[in-house]
Each structure stands twice: as structure tokens, then as C-alpha cells.
Amino acid sequence: MVADAGWTTARVVEQRTLAAGTFRLRLHCPEAAARITPGQFFMVRPHGGTDPLLGRPFALYDTIDGQDGSPESIGFVYHVIGKMTSLMSRWTGGEAVEFWGPLGNGFPVPRCRHLMYVGGGIGYTPSLAVAREALGQRAYGSPARSAEQAAERVTLYYGVQSAGQRADLTDLESIDGLTIRIATDDGSEGHPGLVTDLLRESLDGDDPPEAVYCCGPLPMMTAVGRICREADVDCWLSLETPMACGFGACFSCVTRVQTDDPDGWDYRRTCVEGPVFPAAQLVLD
Ligand code: FES
């Protein structure tokens, strides 16, 4: 496998259902598994076909070691929402798929005592690798990067529409040092209301986070970015902008960032310059 050269072949190791219509897929791709860092993504498409022609981007959930202790597989979580993901849900162990990655910049190495991750819907998935890295429990990248000082705690605020839509959080619940709180729009589990209510409450509390990482629907991320700006807390947003090529050629994924001119802005490609941007740099309409 030569990840830098573009598409290559990976094989399905395991597929597991996490919730209705939500699956965790693991792909055997050792070179990419050794290099990928939390918040980076990769493109996946069926092997040997042209329908669908374009790949789809998926964010890292976690890497899995082989018997020699080195990263061997990449795991990611997806919802079934169209032709491609419907096809993927039928993939089984040994299936050959096309893979391109790692791509994008990912989250910075956490450097704080209390890190918060705010995730909405499927945007919660990068929090697993983020938490493990921040707490010093797993290293990612080649050479392996690590926090200068491990965080004492990581808090995950996870927002979904209803309890029936939330994913199985067993993987996350096994992490020492990670606290999880859930918010549901319909009040069927956890905090009744928006996940940003929890963020405001925490920022006003006794142990506020020193940095906030976030991924989810754009309105939620816009709100999180604004709240953190007002509180003067470092915040990074991982944008879920639709992507076509994934490598900077089509400009289908642009977002607006502020320039040095107080009223000025310019476009940046989410797939190359992102998907993670400091909230302080983004134009949050
Ligand atoms: Fe084509 Fe980003 S997806 S430039």
C-alpha cells in the first residue's frame, strides 16, 4: 500500500452495528494506520466499480494494533444515508475496498489539563482518538506525536436528536479519565435540550475546559465557536463540508476564513487546509 500515491486497496477486517443504521467498520491498511492522527480523514469507495464513482470522506475513529503491537487497521463509524453507505453496510470481512488517506490536517496535539470535545450526531466519532491521545493512553502519527503533558481529564458532550439515535458508546466508556454527558433534543436521555447548554454550563462552572474540540452539524459548530470566542477559550472546529475529490482539486469544499483585514475573508479548502480550523479564524455567520 502506498497511501501518498492516491487510491489503494484495503480489506474489511470487521463490521459492527453500533445503533440503528450506524456501523463501525475496520479496514486493514497498516501504512495509513501508522500515520493517521485524530481528526484526519480518508476517502473510501467500492473496489473495481464506478457506481458510485466518487469516494466518500470518513473521519478516524481509532487505530487498532496488530499482533506485533504496531497500528494495523483503521476504524471509522458511519450512518447509512445514501447509496454508498447502504452498499458499505453490506460489506463483510475480507471484502476489498479502495482507500485514500490519511488526508487533511486533524486536531492539534492537546496541550491542556482539561480538554472538552463537543460532538453532534456522527461528529462524536473523532472523540475516541482525541481522548486517548490527550490522556496519554495512545500515540498517533509517524513519528508518533504525543502531548507534552497529558490532560487530567477529557469531557465529551454528545448531542443527538433522541436516545434511539445515539450510538453505542461502549468504546468511549472504557476510557479512564473521560467523562461523557449526553444531550437529546427531545429530552429522551440526558440533558433535555442542546449540547451547547452543557458547554455554557461548564464554562461557567468550577472546572471549565481550557480548550474545546468540536465536530457536528454546522449550526451547532457555529454556536460552539461563538460561545468559546465570547469566553476566550481556544476552540477548534472540524468541518463536515461535503467533499468531491478530497485532495484540493475541485473546490467543492471551501469555507470562509478571516484575513488580516478586519472585514476581509478568503476561501480555504476544507479537504486540504482543514477539516480542522481554529474557530477564531472562521467566518461564523
Ligand atoms: Fe475537492 Fe476539497 S473536495 S477541493
Side-chain angles (χ1 to χ4, degrees):
M1 172 178 291
V2 184
D4 284 333
W7 291 103
T8 186
T9 301
R11 292 202 177 267
V12 173
V13 176
E14 178 193 270
Q15 172 120 256
R16 189 181 139 202
T17 304
L18 292 187
T22 303
F23 297 86
R24 187 190 71 193
L25 191 64
R26 289 179 172 171
L27 299 178
H28 184 267
C29 43
E31 288 192 30
R35 293 194 295 127
I36 198 164
T37 58
Q40 284 194 295
F41 71 98
F42 39 86
M43 305 292 279
V44 175
R45 69 183 184 190
H47 181 66
T50 56
D51 185 23
L53 177 62
L54 299 174
R56 295 284 186 277
F58 298 98
L60 173 69
Y61 184 54
D62 205 5
T63 57
I64 303 94
D65 291 342
Q67 290 187 341
D68 68 355
S70 302
E72 182 179 85
S73 303
I74 281 177
F76 62 100
V77 176
Y78 66 95
H79 282 320
V80 174
I81 52 173
K83 180 187 269 187
M84 171 74 177
T85 45
S86 177
L87 180 67
M88 288 169 58
S89 69
R90 297 191 292 277
W91 289 349
T92 56
E95 177 108 22
V97 307
E98 292 189 23
F99 176 96
W100 187 347
L103 299 168
N105 57 356
F107 288 106
V109 179
R111 302 184 196 285
C112 60
R113 190 189 63 78
H114 178 192
L115 174 69
M116 178 173 291
Y117 188 101
V118 182
I122 200 72
Y124 86 93
T125 60
S127 66
L128 181 68
V130 163
R132 284 184 168 158
E133 181 176 63
L135 292 164
Q137 297 172 5
R138 186 162 179 83
Y140 299 86
S142 179
R145 64 181 207 169
S146 60
E148 289 170 7
Q149 185 175 352
E152 290 178 17
R153 61 182 297 222
V154 177
T155 306
L156 167 63
Y157 287 165
Y158 173 36
V160 285
Q161 290 181 335
S162 67
Q165 294 184 344
R166 85 156 172 88
D168 176 354
L169 300 177
T170 302
D171 293 335
L172 287 145
E173 288 165 350
S174 68
I175 299 176
D176 281 343
L178 175 65
T179 303
I180 303 172
R181 285 191 68 188
I182 294 169
T184 51
D185 295 350
D186 66 0
S188 52
E189 184 175 355
H191 170 74
L194 300 176
V195 74
T196 46
D197 300 339
L198 299 177
L199 172 62
R200 289 184 198 277
E201 181 186 294
S202 178
L203 289 170
D204 291 338
D206 295 335
D207 186 15
E210 286 123 16
V212 175
Y213 292 179
C214 176
C215 183
L218 188 57
M220 185 203 82
M221 285 199 289
T222 300
V224 168
R226 285 181 177 159
I227 292 167
C228 289
R229 276 188 195 173
E230 289 167 10
D232 197 22
V233 172
D234 287 340
C235 176
W236 283 265
L237 306 179
S238 181
L239 302 186
E240 294 185 320
T241 314
M243 297 178 186
C245 73
F247 57 89
C250 71
F251 284 75
S252 68
C253 65
V254 293
T255 190
R256 292 190 299 160
V257 299
Q258 294 173 349
T259 60
D260 292 341
D261 179 344
D263 297 319
W265 56 267
D266 200 356
Y267 287 119
R268 291 288 182 275
R269 294 163 298 179
T270 300
C271 67
V272 177
E273 285 96 9
V276 177
F277 295 90
Q281 288 182 5
L282 289 169
V283 177
L284 298 174
D285 291 325

